[in-house]
Amino acid sequence: MSRFLIACGGTGGHLAPGIALAEGLAARGAEATLLISHKPIDARLIAKYPHLRFERIPGAPFTLRPAGFARFLWRQTAALAVSARLIRAARPDVVVGFGGFTTAGIIVAAALRGRPVALHEANHVPGRAIRLLGRLARRVYLPPGVTLRRVRADRVRHAGLPVRPEIVRRPREEARRALGFDPAQRLLVILGGSQGAAILNDWARAHRAGLAGAGVQLCCVTGPGKGGGGAEAALPAPAGRTARAVFLPFCDDVATLLSAADLAVSRAGAGTLAELARCATPAILVPFPHAADNHQAANAAWFAEQGGAVVVDQSRLGELEAAVRDLIFDDDRLARCRAGLERTDRVPALGLILDDLLELAGAGRASPRPAAAGAPAP
């Protein structure tokens, strides 16, 4: 049986595809352990997956601020020690990293022990961890059209983000009824990623009455601790109706929520975009302008090129309500957006990555492993 360690904690955008990969490996008879952070968002998401194995490892994000940098060094040193023990105990055939602060220690420890390493980058601008660790990897999965300097071309495979099996499109009216929304009225969903987006939450609160007056229901996923708490209002809508406006801190059923929506207003993290594509949900994307290397802007530009979204810069939020009203009632444009999203999701990434990882695991077992290593042998 092939054994895998998957470093994927810290954000929903890393953990969700790690879960998809672990479930896919288990379905093919392999064994996988997911390495996650101590953050509350990880604990919330993994509660739905008691059949999977999880290990928490220390870590802290990189920053140049003196106190934060000292914490980063301390926690990453601890992570390297924990990772070395995990490698010795689990003897994985392959160690997979999805980027972020939970990845570095385990990838370095695996490389030093001569274990094959694979890295996955879902953003259209590779992150710092992937750029720095890419030379240690025998395989690097990148979005179509993206390249990575200092990584040999024969180690690169182009594949999108693995999406969890439960993220499937449902009939729109059925999904709306399941969530308590009126099937006869339009529904706008607002997403700020796993951590939420305060500026989008504030926009939703400021415009919910105007949207209701136009006959648009609203569901805003605020992020934990950002004023969700299940708050709800019934606001006046045309023809004597009311329109629900709901604010949730977290959504455990993303597939139903996205399937229910006519339109989403969203940040442009790679995980959210993959789920929008899987559920064929048209979107207006507002990239987070302070994302590392402005990668959300690159993600959003690529997604818009596929025909599934329009992009509104955060500095132009005054234009967002007009953009929502123009698109959410335009059935022809919405249909074209959905068609573009279906084309984008035509070749699911998960199967391609599973095939390749299992082949890599077999090759790793068949070849001798060095006692210590810098970069792995090809």
Side-chain angles (χ1 to χ4, degrees):
M1 175 187 291
S2 297
R3 296 185 298 275
F4 294 82
L5 292 178
I6 303 171
C8 58
T11 71
H14 291 150
L15 182 50
I19 288 170
L21 184 59
E23 290 191 318
L25 289 168
R28 297 199 184 191
E31 181 181 288
T33 299
L34 294 105
L35 309 181
I36 63 173
S37 77
H38 292 268
K39 293 175 69 174
I41 190 68
D42 287 12
R44 177 66 185 260
L45 188 53
I46 69 171
K48 291 179 61 179
Y49 303 94
H51 56 288
L52 297 178
R53 285 196 193 113
F54 297 92
E55 292 277 353
R56 287 178 171 82
I57 58 175
F62 176 80
T63 175
L64 289 175
R65 295 177 181 175
F69 185 66
R71 183 171 182 268
F72 166 79
L73 290 177
W74 172 258
R75 300 294 285 170
Q76 291 297 342
T77 301
L80 184 59
V82 171
S83 297
R85 291 196 295 271
L86 278 170
I87 294 290
R88 287 195 298 270
R91 296 187 58 81
D93 296 296
V94 180
V95 176
V96 184
F98 277 91
F101 63 83
T102 60
T103 292
I106 194 69
I107 295 302
V108 171
L112 290 172
R113 297 285 296 182
R115 303 284 170 166
V117 165
L119 297 172
H120 186 285
E121 174 58 73
N123 293 303
H124 284 257
V125 178
R128 183 184 289 113
I130 301 297
R131 295 198 306 267
L132 292 175
L133 299 170
R135 285 177 290 179
L136 301 179
R138 298 192 193 181
R139 192 73 78 244
V140 181
Y141 302 104
L142 297 173
V146 175
T147 59
L148 192 60
R149 292 178 58 193
R150 301 175 183 173
V151 175
R152 286 171 26 183
D154 63 337
R155 297 186 178 186
V156 172
R157 301 288 185 273
H158 287 103
L161 193 75
V163 177
R164 291 169 289 163
E166 69 262 31
I167 306 296
V168 292
R169 186 178 178 184
R170 296 178 59 181
R172 187 175 299 112
E173 290 191 4
E174 172 190 310
R176 282 189 192 163
R177 287 194 177 94
L179 297 171
F181 287 99
D182 183 350
Q185 296 186 78
R186 304 287 164 143
L187 175 61
L188 176 68
V189 168
I190 298 182
L191 304 166
S194 61
Q195 309 299 317
I199 196 167
L200 296 184
N201 299 342
D202 292 343
W203 182 91
R205 292 188 180 94
H207 291 84
R208 59 184 176 177
L211 292 169
V216 178
Q217 304 170 99
L218 174 69
C219 185
C220 178
V221 182
T222 64
K226 295 187 177 179
E232 180 173 346
L235 302 169
R241 293 178 172 173
T242 59
R244 292 181 72 201
V246 181
F247 292 80
L248 303 171
F250 191 83
C251 179
D252 290 311
D253 191 354
V254 172
T256 298
L257 182 63
L258 293 183
S259 297
D262 293 285
L263 179 67
V265 170
S266 175
R267 289 303 199 193
T272 299
L273 298 187
E275 292 172 348
L276 288 168
R278 179 59 51 88
C279 295
T281 306
I284 297 174
L285 301 177
V286 184
F288 179 49
H290 306 297
D293 302 308
N294 206 20
H295 69 261
Q296 285 205 8
N299 292 347
W302 179 86
F303 204 71
E305 287 173 5
Q306 312 313 304
V310 296
V311 181
V312 172
D313 190 87
Q314 183 167 297
S315 65
R316 298 166 60 190
L317 275 188
E319 303 172 11
L320 182 55
E321 184 175 4
V324 167
R325 292 192 184 212
D326 285 346
L327 184 52
I328 201 167
F329 292 108
D330 191 332
D331 289 332
D332 288 340
R333 285 183 68 195
L334 291 174
R336 290 196 296 272
C337 285
R338 285 191 286 270
L341 292 168
E342 288 166 356
R343 288 192 299 271
T344 300
D345 194 50
R346 190 165 292 161
V347 183
L350 182 58
L352 300 175
I353 294 172
L354 288 172
D355 289 343
D356 194 57
L357 282 176
L358 290 167
E359 181 180 343
L360 184 61
R365 288 195 304 274
S367 62
R369 297 182 177 117

